[in-house]
């Protein structure tokens, strides 16, 4: 193992240990701050554990595994770019990310798109995004290393700062218009990822896509945070109008929360979380009844 990789691994281990210690301190603070919500969340723990244990016991039917080497199939320009990179500016990505990228990003190809990437490192991914999206792509790179300023050019801005610093994001947003895509490949600590999301998700354009990379481990704290987002995405809050809809026999309805109005979906892949923003705000969540013949017990 090289010295650089050893230092990186040691940093990862230390960061995880600190996260465990911080979590132990966060629980009492949460109980004090909002005891009702904290108590409700504690009541969910047996179900979280049950799901975790089910996944750990999972043993599906024997099937051929997917090889990690390139295989014939639908072309993925991002994977092709990555596989062809034998020299030049470095890129390191989990191979399975490319399918998720292409699934969520392809609608922006060939358009005027503004992409913000946190953690630009050796600059190779900046070239990959530019190649994928086309000449209309404008890139905003964020890194804590001053040396990354070297990657600036006519289509790429580079901001140097700490992604856990809300004042930094305030300055950036004052200079950068709302963006179409955010890719967080920065420091990988949960607090950095959470601050970045809270500051930049509202700065995402309608129809935009937010990606947080490298959430390794079942008990990653950012993933726990994302579970809170998923819970909010499933809120059910019928008001007077929705109750009247139900009383009239038209079906079930719920008023969308502010979060539901703007956020369409939260997707979880191995080590990758993707959030999609709606093109247009959601007016109402409806489950209407169609037809004339109903069983008595479901009428």
């Amino acid at each position: 193992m090289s010295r650089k990789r050893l230092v990186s691994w040691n940093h990862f281990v230390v960061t995880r240990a600190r996260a465990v210690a911080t979590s132990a301190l966060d629980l009492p603070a949460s109980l004090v701050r909002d005891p009702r919500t904290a108590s409700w969340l504690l009541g969910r723990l047996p179900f979280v554990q049950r799901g975790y244990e089910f996944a750990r016991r999972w043993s599906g039917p024997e099937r051929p595994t997917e090889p990690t080497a390139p295989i014939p199939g639908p072309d993925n320009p991002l994977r092709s770019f990555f596989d062809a990179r034998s020299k030049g500016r470095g890129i390191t990505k989990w191979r399975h990310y490319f399918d998720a990228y292409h699934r969520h990003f392809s609608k922006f190809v060939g358009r005027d798109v503004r992409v913000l990437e946190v953690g630009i490192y050796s600059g190779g991914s900046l070239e990959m995004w530019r190649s994928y999206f086309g000449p209309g792509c404008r890139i905003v790179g964020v890194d804590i290393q001053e040396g990354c300023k070297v990657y600036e050019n006519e289509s790429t801005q580079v901001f140097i700062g700490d992604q856990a610093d809300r004042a930094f994001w305030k300055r950036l947003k004052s200079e950068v218009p709302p963006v179409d895509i955010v890719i967080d490949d920065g420091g990988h600590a949960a607090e950095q990822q959470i601050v970045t999301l809270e500051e930049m998700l509202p700065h995402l354009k309608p129809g935009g896509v937010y990606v947080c990379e490298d959430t390794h481990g079942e008990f990653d704290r950012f993933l726990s945070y994302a579970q809170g987002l998923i819970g909010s995405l499933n809120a059910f809050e019928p008001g007077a109008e929705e109750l009247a809809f139900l009383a009239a026999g038209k079906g079930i309805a719920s008023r969308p929360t502010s979060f539901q109005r703007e956020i369409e979906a939260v997707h979880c892949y191995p080590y990758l979380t993707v959030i999609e923003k709606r093109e247009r705000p959601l007016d109402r969540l409806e489950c209407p009844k169609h037809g004339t013949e109903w069983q008595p017990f479901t009428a």
Side-chain angles (χ1 to χ4, degrees), residues 97 101 105 163 182-186 188-190 192-194 196-197 209-216 220 222-223 225-226 267-275:
Y97 285 3
Y101 291 151
F105 293 168
Q163 71 175 115
V182 174
I183 303 162
D184 184 354
D185 186 22
H188 301 94
Q192 294 173 320
Q193 294 166 330
I194 291 169
T196 301
L197 184 147
V209 178
Y210 192 102
V211 176
C212 184
E213 295 186 359
D214 300 342
T215 50
H216 306 119
D220 182 271
F222 179 83
L223 290 179
Y225 178 90
H267 305 265
C268 291
Y269 302 89
Y271 317 144
L272 191 74
T273 301
V274 178
I275 302 173

Side-chain angles (χ1 to χ4, degrees), residues 17-168:
R18 287 176 178 169
V20 171
T22 304
S23 296
L25 297 174
D26 284 346
L27 182 57
S30 297
L31 287 167
V32 171
R33 185 173 66 250
D34 187 350
R36 181 177 178 180
T37 301
S39 298
W40 177 78
L41 290 172
L42 284 172
R44 295 178 61 195
L45 284 177
F47 297 95
V48 174
Q49 182 177 3
R50 183 176 174 180
Y52 172 78
E53 291 173 348
F54 173 77
R56 279 295 191 177
R57 293 193 307 268
W58 179 269
S59 59
E62 289 294 329
R63 296 189 299 143
T65 57
E66 179 181 345
T68 56
I71 57 175
D75 182 46
N76 185 326
L78 289 163
R79 183 186 288 113
S80 298
F81 184 98
F82 180 77
D83 288 337
R85 177 58 53 117
S86 58
K87 60 182 180 178
R89 294 176 180 175
I91 315 173
T92 178
K93 296 287 183 184
W94 287 94
R95 182 172 292 280
H96 66 272
Y97 285 3
F98 295 112
D99 288 330
Y101 291 151
H102 194 39
R103 181 176 300 121
H104 295 285
F105 293 168
S106 60
K107 67 179 182 179
F108 297 105
V109 171
R111 292 169 45 183
D112 291 338
V113 58
R114 192 177 301 274
V115 179
L116 185 146
E117 182 173 37
V118 184
I120 54 181
Y121 192 36
S122 294
S125 59
L126 300 179
E127 296 178 329
M128 181 175 69
W129 304 130
R130 172 75 174 174
S131 172
Y132 178 68
F133 291 112
C137 178
R138 295 293 177 267
I139 299 175
V140 180
V142 172
D143 207 284
I144 201 167
Q145 297 294 334
E146 187 71 36
C148 289
K149 271 286 188 180
V150 72
Y151 303 128
E152 277 195 322
N153 55 43
E154 67 280 357
S155 62
T156 304
Q157 288 178 279
V158 174
F159 290 81
I160 305 300
D162 180 357
Q163 71 175 115
D165 181 2
R166 294 185 187 273
F168 164 74

